[in-house]
Amino acid sequence: MDPILFIAFLTTSVVFLLAPGPSVAFATAQALRHGRRAAFIAVAGDALGTMVHVTVAVAGLTALVVLSELVLPFLQIVGGIFILFMAWHAFRSIGTSGNAPPVRSDRATFWAGFFACVTNPKAIVFFVALFPAFMSPEHSVLLQGIVYGTIFIVLDACSILTFALVTTAAVGRAKSKWLNADVLSGLGLSVVGIAMIIKGYRAIPTN
Protein backbone atom coordinates (compact mmCIF):
# COMPACT_ATOMS: atom_id res chain seq x y z
CA MET A 1 0.00 0.00 0.00
CA ASP A 2 1.19 3.50 -0.79
CA PRO A 3 1.13 5.30 2.61
CA ILE A 4 0.26 8.71 1.15
CA LEU A 5 -2.61 7.35 -0.95
CA PHE A 6 -3.79 5.26 2.01
CA ILE A 7 -3.96 8.29 4.32
CA ALA A 8 -5.68 10.29 1.57
CA PHE A 9 -8.26 7.53 1.20
CA LEU A 10 -8.96 7.38 4.94
CA THR A 11 -9.32 11.15 5.20
CA THR A 12 -11.59 11.39 2.17
CA SER A 13 -13.74 8.47 3.36
CA VAL A 14 -14.26 9.98 6.82
CA VAL A 15 -15.23 13.35 5.36
CA PHE A 16 -17.56 11.62 2.89
CA LEU A 17 -19.29 9.64 5.64
CA LEU A 18 -19.79 12.63 7.94
CA ALA A 19 -22.64 13.81 5.73
CA PRO A 20 -25.70 11.57 6.37
CA GLY A 21 -27.32 10.14 3.27
CA PRO A 22 -30.23 7.85 2.31
CA SER A 23 -28.68 4.84 4.08
CA VAL A 24 -28.46 6.74 7.36
CA ALA A 25 -32.05 7.96 7.06
CA PHE A 26 -33.31 4.48 6.26
CA ALA A 27 -31.39 2.71 9.05
CA THR A 28 -32.51 5.35 11.55
CA ALA A 29 -36.15 4.96 10.52
CA GLN A 30 -35.90 1.19 10.88
CA ALA A 31 -34.21 1.45 14.28
CA LEU A 32 -36.92 3.81 15.55
CA ARG A 33 -39.68 1.44 14.54
CA HIS A 34 -38.16 -2.01 14.98
CA GLY A 35 -35.16 -1.57 17.26
CA ARG A 36 -31.41 -1.98 16.96
CA ARG A 37 -31.53 -5.33 15.19
CA ALA A 38 -33.33 -3.76 12.22
CA ALA A 39 -30.60 -1.11 11.98
CA PHE A 40 -27.93 -3.82 11.79
CA ILE A 41 -29.87 -5.63 9.05
CA ALA A 42 -30.21 -2.37 7.10
CA VAL A 43 -26.45 -1.84 7.46
CA ALA A 44 -25.85 -5.37 6.13
CA GLY A 45 -27.85 -4.48 3.02
CA ASP A 46 -25.90 -1.24 2.72
CA ALA A 47 -22.64 -3.22 2.94
CA LEU A 48 -23.73 -5.40 0.01
CA GLY A 49 -24.48 -2.26 -2.00
CA THR A 50 -21.04 -0.90 -1.16
CA MET A 51 -19.46 -4.16 -2.30
CA VAL A 52 -21.16 -3.68 -5.67
CA HIS A 53 -19.66 -0.18 -5.95
CA VAL A 54 -16.19 -1.44 -4.97
CA THR A 55 -16.37 -4.32 -7.44
CA VAL A 56 -17.30 -2.01 -10.30
CA ALA A 57 -14.57 0.49 -9.37
CA VAL A 58 -11.83 -2.13 -9.01
CA ALA A 59 -12.79 -4.10 -12.09
CA GLY A 60 -12.89 -0.92 -14.14
CA LEU A 61 -15.76 -2.20 -16.22
CA THR A 62 -16.48 0.84 -18.35
CA ALA A 63 -19.31 -0.93 -20.13
CA LEU A 64 -20.99 -1.68 -16.80
CA VAL A 65 -20.67 1.94 -15.73
CA VAL A 66 -22.33 3.06 -18.95
CA LEU A 67 -25.03 0.46 -18.48
CA SER A 68 -25.62 1.62 -14.92
CA GLU A 69 -26.42 5.10 -16.21
CA LEU A 70 -29.29 3.57 -18.15
CA VAL A 71 -30.49 1.12 -15.50
CA LEU A 72 -29.80 3.11 -12.33
CA PRO A 73 -32.70 5.60 -12.67
CA PHE A 74 -35.22 2.77 -12.88
CA LEU A 75 -33.60 0.96 -9.94
CA GLN A 76 -33.90 4.18 -7.93
CA ILE A 77 -37.60 4.45 -8.76
CA VAL A 78 -38.26 0.80 -7.89
CA GLY A 79 -36.29 1.11 -4.66
CA GLY A 80 -38.11 4.32 -3.76
CA ILE A 81 -41.52 2.69 -4.31
CA PHE A 82 -40.46 -0.25 -2.16
CA ILE A 83 -39.38 2.05 0.67
CA LEU A 84 -42.65 4.03 0.39
CA PHE A 85 -44.47 0.72 0.78
CA MET A 86 -42.57 0.19 4.03
CA ALA A 87 -43.50 3.75 5.10
CA TRP A 88 -47.16 2.93 4.47
CA HIS A 89 -46.86 -0.06 6.79
CA ALA A 90 -45.26 2.16 9.43
CA PHE A 91 -48.14 4.66 9.28
CA ARG A 92 -50.66 1.81 9.47
CA SER A 93 -49.07 0.67 12.73
CA ILE A 94 -49.65 4.02 14.48
CA GLY A 95 -51.66 3.46 17.62
CA THR A 96 -51.96 -0.29 17.05
CA SER A 97 -48.51 -1.49 18.07
CA GLY A 98 -49.23 -1.59 21.80
CA ASN A 99 -46.56 -3.42 23.74
CA ALA A 100 -46.16 -6.17 21.19
CA PRO A 101 -43.10 -6.06 18.96
CA PRO A 102 -43.99 -4.92 15.41
CA VAL A 103 -43.96 -7.55 12.70
CA ARG A 104 -41.54 -6.87 9.91
CA SER A 105 -39.50 -8.65 7.28
CA ASP A 106 -35.75 -8.91 7.73
CA ARG A 107 -35.45 -9.62 4.02
CA ALA A 108 -37.37 -6.46 3.11
CA THR A 109 -35.19 -4.39 5.45
CA PHE A 110 -32.01 -5.89 3.99
CA TRP A 111 -32.94 -5.25 0.35
CA ALA A 112 -34.27 -1.77 1.06
CA GLY A 113 -30.92 -1.00 2.71
CA PHE A 114 -29.19 -2.38 -0.39
CA PHE A 115 -31.25 -0.20 -2.75
CA ALA A 116 -30.66 2.90 -0.61
CA CYS A 117 -26.90 2.37 -0.97
CA VAL A 118 -26.44 1.05 -4.48
CA THR A 119 -28.62 3.78 -6.05
CA ASN A 120 -27.07 6.63 -4.05
CA PRO A 121 -25.59 9.05 -6.67
CA LYS A 122 -23.07 10.41 -4.15
CA ALA A 123 -21.68 6.93 -3.53
CA ILE A 124 -21.49 6.24 -7.26
CA VAL A 125 -19.51 9.44 -7.84
CA PHE A 126 -17.17 8.55 -4.97
CA PHE A 127 -16.38 5.05 -6.22
CA VAL A 128 -16.34 5.74 -9.95
CA ALA A 129 -14.54 9.10 -9.92
CA LEU A 130 -12.50 9.14 -6.70
CA PHE A 131 -11.88 5.53 -5.68
CA PRO A 132 -9.56 4.69 -8.63
CA ALA A 133 -7.46 7.76 -7.78
CA PHE A 134 -6.27 6.08 -4.58
CA MET A 135 -4.89 3.07 -6.44
CA SER A 136 -1.13 2.82 -6.83
CA PRO A 137 0.05 1.22 -10.11
CA GLU A 138 3.08 -0.10 -8.23
CA HIS A 139 0.93 -2.41 -6.10
CA SER A 140 -1.74 -5.00 -6.73
CA VAL A 141 -4.97 -3.23 -7.70
CA LEU A 142 -7.02 -6.20 -6.52
CA LEU A 143 -5.36 -6.24 -3.10
CA GLN A 144 -5.70 -2.47 -2.72
CA GLY A 145 -9.35 -2.71 -3.72
CA ILE A 146 -10.01 -5.40 -1.12
CA VAL A 147 -8.26 -3.41 1.63
CA TYR A 148 -9.88 -0.09 0.71
CA GLY A 149 -13.29 -1.71 0.25
CA THR A 150 -13.15 -3.50 3.60
CA ILE A 151 -12.08 -0.35 5.43
CA PHE A 152 -14.81 1.72 3.78
CA ILE A 153 -17.50 -0.85 4.61
CA VAL A 154 -16.42 -0.89 8.27
CA LEU A 155 -16.30 2.91 8.49
CA ASP A 156 -19.63 3.20 6.68
CA ALA A 157 -21.29 0.68 9.00
CA CYS A 158 -19.96 2.45 12.10
CA SER A 159 -21.15 5.81 10.77
CA ILE A 160 -24.66 4.60 9.93
CA LEU A 161 -25.10 2.72 13.21
CA THR A 162 -23.84 5.68 15.22
CA PHE A 163 -26.34 8.06 13.60
CA ALA A 164 -29.19 5.54 13.87
CA LEU A 165 -28.61 4.40 17.45
CA VAL A 166 -27.87 7.86 18.85
CA THR A 167 -31.05 9.22 17.27
CA THR A 168 -33.06 6.27 18.60
CA ALA A 169 -31.67 6.76 22.10
CA ALA A 170 -32.46 10.49 22.00
CA VAL A 171 -36.04 9.82 20.92
CA GLY A 172 -36.38 7.16 23.61
CA ARG A 173 -35.31 9.58 26.33
CA ALA A 174 -37.72 12.24 25.12
CA LYS A 175 -40.72 9.95 25.69
CA SER A 176 -43.08 12.36 24.00
CA LYS A 177 -46.32 11.36 22.31
CA TRP A 178 -45.25 13.60 19.45
CA LEU A 179 -42.18 11.43 18.98
CA ASN A 180 -44.09 8.25 18.22
CA ALA A 181 -41.65 5.76 16.68
CA ASP A 182 -44.07 4.70 13.95
CA VAL A 183 -44.70 8.32 12.95
CA LEU A 184 -41.00 9.16 12.79
CA SER A 185 -40.23 5.93 10.97
CA GLY A 186 -42.99 6.54 8.43
CA LEU A 187 -41.90 10.13 7.83
CA GLY A 188 -38.23 9.12 7.50
CA LEU A 189 -39.01 6.31 5.07
CA SER A 190 -41.33 8.59 3.07
CA VAL A 191 -38.61 11.22 2.66
CA VAL A 192 -36.07 8.61 1.51
CA GLY A 193 -38.54 6.92 -0.86
CA ILE A 194 -39.76 10.16 -2.45
CA ALA A 195 -36.18 11.45 -2.83
CA MET A 196 -35.12 8.24 -4.59
CA ILE A 197 -38.09 8.35 -6.96
CA ILE A 198 -37.47 12.00 -7.86
CA LYS A 199 -33.76 11.39 -8.46
CA GLY A 200 -34.53 8.36 -10.59
CA TYR A 201 -37.14 10.20 -12.64
CA ARG A 202 -34.83 13.14 -13.29
CA ALA A 203 -31.98 10.82 -14.30
CA ILE A 204 -33.96 8.87 -16.93
CA PRO A 205 -32.21 9.38 -20.28
CA THR A 206 -34.20 11.58 -22.65
CA ASN A 207 -32.54 10.24 -25.78
Side-chain angles (χ1 to χ4, degrees), residues 18-168:
L18 284 177
S23 295
V24 171
F26 176 72
T28 300
Q30 288 301 96
L32 285 170
R33 187 182 179 207
H34 301 298
R36 296 181 179 181
R37 184 169 181 270
F40 280 95
I41 294 174
V43 168
D46 175 84
L48 179 61
T50 300
M51 289 177 62
V52 172
H53 289 309
V54 173
T55 301
V56 172
V58 173
L61 298 177
T62 305
L64 185 57
V65 172
V66 173
L67 180 62
S68 69
E69 294 179 353
L70 301 176
V71 177
L72 180 62
F74 298 99
L75 288 178
Q76 288 178 337
I77 293 174
V78 172
I81 293 174
F82 183 67
I83 291 176
L84 283 180
F85 177 73
M86 298 181 72
W88 177 68
H89 273 286
F91 286 127
R92 282 189 61 192
S93 299
I94 297 174
T96 62
S97 298
N99 296 322
V103 178
R104 61 171 174 76
S105 168
D106 290 346
R107 182 179 299 178
T109 299
F110 177 87
W111 287 113
F114 170 80
F115 272 115
C117 173
V118 80
T119 63
N120 183 2
K122 191 175 79 168
I124 294 173
V125 170
F126 178 85
F127 284 103
V128 173
L130 296 180
F131 194 79
F134 301 113
M135 298 291 181
S136 170
E138 300 176 356
H139 302 84
S140 169
V141 173
L142 178 59
L143 179 59
Q144 291 178 88
I146 293 174
V147 173
Y148 284 149
T150 301
I151 291 175
F152 188 91
I153 289 175
V154 172
L155 291 176
D156 187 33
C158 291
S159 171
I160 294 174
L161 287 174
T162 298
F163 277 110
L165 298 182
V166 168
T167 301
T168 303

Side-chain angles (χ1 to χ4, degrees), residues 166-204:
V166 168
T167 301
T168 303
V171 171
R173 291 194 186 96
K175 294 183 179 179
S176 168
K177 64 179 181 180
W178 300 108
L179 293 179
N180 180 279
D182 288 325
V183 173
L184 291 176
S185 176
L187 290 175
L189 291 173
S190 297
V191 171
V192 175
I194 292 173
M196 289 178 64
I197 292 174
I198 292 176
K199 286 182 179 179
Y201 179 77
R202 289 179 175 176
I204 293 178

